Amino acid sequence: MEDFLSNKDRGLIRTNLALICLIVILSVTVIPNVRSAQDCSNVEFLFDIQPNADQPSDISIAPNGDIYLVDGVNHRIIVVDSRGRRRFSFGRKGTGNGEFEHPLGIDISDGGKVFIADSGNHRIQVFNLKGKFLYLFAVKSGPGEKPSDPVDVAVSKLKGYLYISDNDNHKIKVYRQNGTFDFEWGRFGEGPGEFRYPGILAVNEYNEVFVVDVLNTRVQKFDPFGKFIANIGSWGVLPGRLFRPKGVAVDKNNRVFITDSYMGFIQIFSDLGRFLGVVCENGKNRKFTTPVGIVVDNKNDRLQVVEMRSNKISVLKLLQ
């Protein structure tokens, strides 16, 4: 899968070619020139990881520092160490235990359980850190809903909650780690707590939940029980605006990093939505090739970015 939208939703993006041309022009002439040095958050490039993936989507870091990458086109998970050296992979196409149908999202618990959003099979699968299958559970659809489309899963330390973004049903569904359904929130719309194709998720140290609301071009922040707190970002191409948000991560200072897959930049906000800056290298905006999943390695102050079209992970040192 190219992204977290259905075919009909991709059509919405393609309906105004003149607008797309304008965005391309503005991405060159406006975004690269941030308003001031205060709008730049500098990083240092460390290295790229090229794990022989095909349009990877999401990433997570294990307690031991290993990096787990979702290679959904190849129906597998690729594991490399913290220096990018290949360790192993697991999974193949299918519907059986340990098999996948275009997985998209991933998260790893502090206890070392690997949770995979097996999107095409409408379920969550759980593995240990060595890739051994442990168990699975279906993400159920309610009355009148489409078949579930879980595109990401995020682990919380609160009550063992798993937050799952059901893309096609415009909801966040909450399960316990044992697969028991607990509660849900959301519906199709543009208001607070409503979604148009929710995607990647993140949970901060306070167990608050951040949801990439793709077609509403924002990230929404909620308390652990689904109460709306704040919108982060809005549509546009200037710094502090988003055109196609795709990934979100929160660092130890509660700064929110958001990837914009069309514009190719990463912007930083406070957890209540105040624009803080654009990720820069040597004082200039750092351009990425279709950045999607993103994770902050707080132990090493590293930012790791999945660049889907380049089939790689960029590893950067956070300098501020």
Side-chain angles (χ1 to χ4, degrees):
M1 290 186 180
E2 286 189 359
D3 55 24
F4 299 150
L5 299 178
S6 64
N7 289 331
K8 65 178 180 298
D9 307 307
R10 295 190 190 103
L12 294 175
I13 298 298
R14 295 193 294 265
T15 55
N16 195 335
L17 295 178
L19 177 61
I20 297 299
C21 292
L22 175 63
I23 294 303
V24 172
I25 293 171
L26 288 174
S27 72
V28 175
T29 60
V30 178
I31 288 291
N33 299 307
V34 294
R35 296 189 299 261
S36 70
Q38 292 180 341
D39 288 340
C40 247
S41 184
N42 279 297
V43 298
E44 175 189 351
F45 173 75
L46 296 178
F47 55 90
D48 284 334
I49 301 171
Q50 296 179 318
N52 194 29
D54 186 355
Q55 300 181 67
S57 56
D58 200 12
I59 185 175
S60 191
I61 301 175
N64 65 359
D66 284 347
I67 301 164
Y68 288 64
L69 178 70
V70 181
D71 184 15
V73 172
N74 291 314
H75 315 283
R76 64 180 179 177
I77 308 301
I78 296 173
V79 183
V80 299
D81 68 16
S82 60
R83 295 184 180 181
R85 296 172 297 195
R86 181 83 172 234
R87 295 202 61 208
F88 61 93
S89 64
F90 60 94
R92 62 181 182 182
K93 182 178 176 63
T95 59
N97 295 347
E99 297 177 337
F100 300 110
E101 179 64 38
H102 292 105
L104 284 171
I106 186 172
D107 202 10
I108 301 175
S109 71
D110 289 345
K113 285 185 177 180
V114 182
F115 296 87
I116 310 294
D118 187 7
S119 306
N121 286 323
H122 319 290
R123 65 190 184 184
I124 302 297
Q125 294 202 66
V126 189
F127 301 82
N128 69 14
L129 292 176
K130 295 182 180 180
K132 179 182 178 181
F133 172 81
L134 299 178
Y135 59 94
L136 61 80
F137 61 90
V139 179
K140 297 179 180 180
S141 299
E145 290 186 348
K146 299 177 181 178
S148 69
D149 183 24
V151 299
D152 198 21
V153 56
V155 181
S156 173
K157 297 178 182 178
L158 179 66
K159 298 186 177 182
Y161 283 154
L162 292 176
Y163 297 95
I164 300 165
S165 50
D166 187 347
N167 189 260
D168 280 351
N169 290 306
H170 316 287
K171 289 184 176 182
I172 304 302
K173 295 182 176 179
V174 186
Y175 284 73
R176 300 296 178 102
Q177 290 190 22
N178 64 5
T180 302
F181 175 78
D182 206 309
F183 62 99
E184 64 182 34
W185 76 87
R187 63 181 181 180
F188 184 82
E190 301 178 13
E194 298 176 337
F195 303 105
R196 291 198 296 162
Y197 302 95
I200 284 181
L201 307 167
V203 176
N204 67 8
E205 63 178 323
Y206 307 108
N207 298 303
E208 295 166 327
V209 184
F210 298 79
V211 183
V212 178
D213 188 6
V214 178
L215 280 191
N216 284 327
T217 61
R218 64 188 178 185
V219 169
Q220 294 194 65
K221 177 184 177 182
F222 301 89
D223 78 4
F225 307 102
K227 181 180 179 181
F228 174 81
I229 297 176
N231 279 324
I232 303 173
S234 59
W235 189 90
V237 296
L238 295 172
R241 305 276 182 161
L242 303 167
F243 183 65
R244 178 70 80 85
K246 195 57 64 72
V248 62
V250 185
D251 73 0
K252 60 188 176 184
N253 297 314
N254 221 27
R255 297 184 300 171
V256 182
F257 293 74
I258 302 173
T259 61
D260 193 317
S261 64
Y262 269 21
M263 303 303 288
F265 297 102
I266 298 174
Q267 299 194 63
I268 309 172
F269 298 81
S270 76
D271 66 319
L272 292 177
R274 180 169 62 89
F275 174 66
L276 300 178
V278 178
V279 168
C280 297
E281 187 176 2
N282 298 320
K284 297 181 180 180
N285 287 13
R286 178 64 151 80
K287 191 77 163 61
F288 300 85
T289 303
T290 322
V292 284
I294 183 173
V295 67
V296 178
D297 179 356
N298 284 316
K299 292 181 180 178
N300 298 301
D301 290 323
R302 289 181 175 183
L303 188 67
Q304 301 187 12
V305 184
V306 179
E307 296 190 61
M308 185 183 73
R309 291 297 186 188
S310 293
N311 298 313
K312 69 180 183 181
I313 303 167
S314 289
V315 182
L316 310 162
K317 180 76 171 179
L318 291 169
L319 300 179
Q320 59 190 72

mmCIF file of all heavy atoms in Angstrom, residues 123-141:
data_model
loop_
_atom_site.group_PDB
_atom_site.id
_atom_site.type_symbol
_atom_site.label_atom_id
_atom_site.label_comp_id
_atom_site.label_asym_id
_atom_site.label_seq_id
_atom_site.Cartn_x
_atom_site.Cartn_y
_atom_site.Cartn_z
ATOM 1 N N ARG A 123 -6.672 -7.315 11.549
ATOM 2 C CA ARG A 123 -6.336 -7.854 12.860
ATOM 3 C C ARG A 123 -5.021 -7.269 13.367
ATOM 4 O O ARG A 123 -4.282 -6.612 12.635
ATOM 5 C CB ARG A 123 -6.214 -9.383 12.776
ATOM 6 C CG ARG A 123 -5.063 -9.841 11.887
ATOM 7 C CD ARG A 123 -5.109 -11.339 11.618
ATOM 8 N NE ARG A 123 -3.945 -11.792 10.848
ATOM 9 C CZ ARG A 123 -3.766 -13.032 10.405
ATOM 10 N NH1 ARG A 123 -4.695 -13.955 10.672
ATOM 11 N NH2 ARG A 123 -2.685 -13.367 9.723
ATOM 12 N N ILE A 124 -4.755 -7.528 14.639
ATOM 13 C CA ILE A 124 -3.475 -7.216 15.266
ATOM 14 C C ILE A 124 -2.775 -8.531 15.559
ATOM 15 O O ILE A 124 -3.385 -9.448 16.136
ATOM 16 C CB ILE A 124 -3.669 -6.424 16.572
ATOM 17 C CG1 ILE A 124 -4.441 -5.124 16.311
ATOM 18 C CG2 ILE A 124 -2.319 -6.145 17.233
ATOM 19 C CD1 ILE A 124 -3.750 -4.147 15.394
ATOM 20 N N GLN A 125 -1.515 -8.632 15.181
ATOM 21 C CA GLN A 125 -0.715 -9.796 15.522
ATOM 22 C C GLN A 125 0.380 -9.396 16.509
ATOM 23 O O GLN A 125 0.909 -8.282 16.449
ATOM 24 C CB GLN A 125 -0.086 -10.418 14.279
ATOM 25 C CG GLN A 125 -1.097 -11.023 13.318
ATOM 26 C CD GLN A 125 -0.455 -12.066 12.425
ATOM 27 O OE1 GLN A 125 -0.011 -13.125 12.885
ATOM 28 N NE2 GLN A 125 -0.393 -11.776 11.129
ATOM 29 N N VAL A 126 0.725 -10.336 17.372
ATOM 30 C CA VAL A 126 1.668 -10.066 18.450
ATOM 31 C C VAL A 126 2.802 -11.088 18.393
ATOM 32 O O VAL A 126 2.562 -12.291 18.254
ATOM 33 C CB VAL A 126 0.971 -10.119 19.827
ATOM 34 C CG1 VAL A 126 1.909 -9.631 20.925
ATOM 35 C CG2 VAL A 126 -0.313 -9.281 19.818
ATOM 36 N N PHE A 127 4.040 -10.587 18.522
ATOM 37 C CA PHE A 127 5.244 -11.416 18.430
ATOM 38 C C PHE A 127 6.182 -11.075 19.578
ATOM 39 O O PHE A 127 6.060 -10.022 20.210
ATOM 40 C CB PHE A 127 5.976 -11.147 17.099
ATOM 41 C CG PHE A 127 5.147 -11.418 15.886
ATOM 42 C CD1 PHE A 127 4.233 -10.473 15.416
ATOM 43 C CD2 PHE A 127 5.283 -12.610 15.184
ATOM 44 C CE1 PHE A 127 3.467 -10.721 14.285
ATOM 45 C CE2 PHE A 127 4.527 -12.864 14.054
ATOM 46 C CZ PHE A 127 3.619 -11.926 13.612
ATOM 47 N N ASN A 128 7.147 -11.954 19.819
ATOM 48 C CA ASN A 128 8.223 -11.570 20.720
ATOM 49 C C ASN A 128 9.322 -10.886 19.914
ATOM 50 O O ASN A 128 9.230 -10.736 18.696
ATOM 51 C CB ASN A 128 8.739 -12.767 21.533
ATOM 52 C CG ASN A 128 9.489 -13.796 20.683
ATOM 53 O OD1 ASN A 128 9.861 -13.551 19.534
ATOM 54 N ND2 ASN A 128 9.717 -14.962 21.258
ATOM 55 N N LEU A 129 10.383 -10.466 20.585
ATOM 56 C CA LEU A 129 11.420 -9.684 19.918
ATOM 57 C C LEU A 129 12.215 -10.497 18.901
ATOM 58 O O LEU A 129 12.915 -9.925 18.057
ATOM 59 C CB LEU A 129 12.370 -9.077 20.951
ATOM 60 C CG LEU A 129 11.761 -7.991 21.842
ATOM 61 C CD1 LEU A 129 12.769 -7.534 22.892
ATOM 62 C CD2 LEU A 129 11.284 -6.798 21.018
ATOM 63 N N LYS A 130 12.105 -11.807 18.949
ATOM 64 C CA LYS A 130 12.798 -12.654 17.981
ATOM 65 C C LYS A 130 11.926 -12.976 16.769
ATOM 66 O O LYS A 130 12.327 -13.743 15.899
ATOM 67 C CB LYS A 130 13.258 -13.945 18.659
ATOM 68 C CG LYS A 130 14.312 -13.721 19.737
ATOM 69 C CD LYS A 130 14.773 -15.036 20.359
ATOM 70 C CE LYS A 130 15.830 -14.798 21.433
ATOM 71 N NZ LYS A 130 16.285 -16.079 22.050
ATOM 72 N N GLY A 131 10.724 -12.405 16.749
ATOM 73 C CA GLY A 131 9.817 -12.644 15.629
ATOM 74 C C GLY A 131 8.970 -13.884 15.779
ATOM 75 O O GLY A 131 8.301 -14.297 14.812
ATOM 76 N N LYS A 132 8.935 -14.464 16.969
ATOM 77 C CA LYS A 132 8.098 -15.636 17.202
ATOM 78 C C LYS A 132 6.659 -15.205 17.427
ATOM 79 O O LYS A 132 6.375 -14.334 18.259
ATOM 80 C CB LYS A 132 8.595 -16.423 18.408
ATOM 81 C CG LYS A 132 7.752 -17.660 18.717
ATOM 82 C CD LYS A 132 8.250 -18.385 19.960
ATOM 83 C CE LYS A 132 7.368 -19.583 20.282
ATOM 84 N NZ LYS A 132 7.815 -20.291 21.515
ATOM 85 N N PHE A 133 5.739 -15.819 16.680
ATOM 86 C CA PHE A 133 4.321 -15.509 16.822
ATOM 87 C C PHE A 133 3.838 -15.892 18.208
ATOM 88 O O PHE A 133 4.112 -16.989 18.701
ATOM 89 C CB PHE A 133 3.513 -16.258 15.765
ATOM 90 C CG PHE A 133 2.023 -16.158 15.956
ATOM 91 C CD1 PHE A 133 1.332 -15.032 15.519
ATOM 92 C CD2 PHE A 133 1.321 -17.173 16.580
ATOM 93 C CE1 PHE A 133 -0.044 -14.937 15.695
ATOM 94 C CE2 PHE A 133 -0.051 -17.091 16.767
ATOM 95 C CZ PHE A 133 -0.735 -15.960 16.322
ATOM 96 N N LEU A 134 3.080 -14.983 18.853
ATOM 97 C CA LEU A 134 2.513 -15.248 20.164
ATOM 98 C C LEU A 134 0.996 -15.438 20.098
ATOM 99 O O LEU A 134 0.489 -16.459 20.522
ATOM 100 C CB LEU A 134 2.849 -14.098 21.128
ATOM 101 C CG LEU A 134 4.338 -13.856 21.392
ATOM 102 C CD1 LEU A 134 4.533 -12.653 22.325
ATOM 103 C CD2 LEU A 134 4.997 -15.104 21.993
ATOM 104 N N TYR A 135 0.291 -14.465 19.546
ATOM 105 C CA TYR A 135 -1.167 -14.570 19.436
ATOM 106 C C TYR A 135 -1.662 -13.462 18.519
ATOM 107 O O TYR A 135 -0.887 -12.567 18.110
ATOM 108 C CB TYR A 135 -1.852 -14.489 20.795
ATOM 109 C CG TYR A 135 -1.600 -13.221 21.583
ATOM 110 C CD1 TYR A 135 -2.484 -12.139 21.518
ATOM 111 C CD2 TYR A 135 -0.497 -13.097 22.424
ATOM 112 C CE1 TYR A 135 -2.272 -10.981 22.249
ATOM 113 C CE2 TYR A 135 -0.270 -11.942 23.160
ATOM 114 C CZ TYR A 135 -1.165 -10.884 23.067
ATOM 115 O OH TYR A 135 -0.946 -9.732 23.782
ATOM 116 N N LEU A 136 -2.953 -13.474 18.215
ATOM 117 C CA LEU A 136 -3.573 -12.431 17.400
ATOM 118 C C LEU A 136 -4.996 -12.209 17.869
ATOM 119 O O LEU A 136 -5.573 -13.018 18.595
ATOM 120 C CB LEU A 136 -3.534 -12.800 15.911
ATOM 121 C CG LEU A 136 -4.244 -14.071 15.427
ATOM 122 C CD1 LEU A 136 -5.753 -13.878 15.264
ATOM 123 C CD2 LEU A 136 -3.666 -14.537 14.096
ATOM 124 N N PHE A 137 -5.551 -11.072 17.455
ATOM 125 C CA PHE A 137 -6.977 -10.842 17.678
ATOM 126 C C PHE A 137 -7.521 -9.959 16.562
ATOM 127 O O PHE A 137 -6.806 -9.141 15.977
ATOM 128 C CB PHE A 137 -7.246 -10.206 19.051
ATOM 129 C CG PHE A 137 -6.605 -8.861 19.283
ATOM 130 C CD1 PHE A 137 -7.269 -7.692 18.945
ATOM 131 C CD2 PHE A 137 -5.343 -8.770 19.850
ATOM 132 C CE1 PHE A 137 -6.694 -6.457 19.168
ATOM 133 C CE2 PHE A 137 -4.752 -7.543 20.081
ATOM 134 C CZ PHE A 137 -5.430 -6.372 19.748
ATOM 135 N N ALA A 138 -8.765 -10.177 16.230
ATOM 136 C CA ALA A 138 -9.431 -9.419 15.170
ATOM 137 C C ALA A 138 -9.816 -8.043 15.688
ATOM 138 O O ALA A 138 -10.218 -7.881 16.841
ATOM 139 C CB ALA A 138 -10.664 -10.162 14.686
ATOM 140 N N VAL A 139 -9.691 -7.057 14.829
ATOM 141 C CA VAL A 139 -10.237 -5.728 15.111
ATOM 142 C C VAL A 139 -11.649 -5.729 14.541
ATOM 143 O O VAL A 139 -11.843 -5.757 13.328
ATOM 144 C CB VAL A 139 -9.377 -4.619 14.486
ATOM 145 C CG1 VAL A 139 -9.992 -3.253 14.766
ATOM 146 C CG2 VAL A 139 -7.948 -4.685 15.025
ATOM 147 N N LYS A 140 -12.628 -5.736 15.405
ATOM 148 C CA LYS A 140 -13.999 -5.960 14.992
ATOM 149 C C LYS A 140 -14.653 -4.692 14.452
ATOM 150 O O LYS A 140 -14.293 -3.574 14.807
ATOM 151 C CB LYS A 140 -14.810 -6.505 16.166
ATOM 152 C CG LYS A 140 -14.308 -7.861 16.660
ATOM 153 C CD LYS A 140 -15.117 -8.371 17.833
ATOM 154 C CE LYS A 140 -14.590 -9.720 18.311
ATOM 155 N NZ LYS A 140 -15.359 -10.243 19.471
ATOM 156 N N SER A 141 -15.627 -4.898 13.575
ATOM 157 C CA SER A 141 -16.441 -3.812 13.030
ATOM 158 C C SER A 141 -17.806 -3.830 13.683
ATOM 159 O O SER A 141 -18.370 -4.888 13.939
ATOM 160 C CB SER A 141 -16.590 -3.956 11.516
ATOM 161 O OG SER A 141 -15.337 -3.891 10.876
#
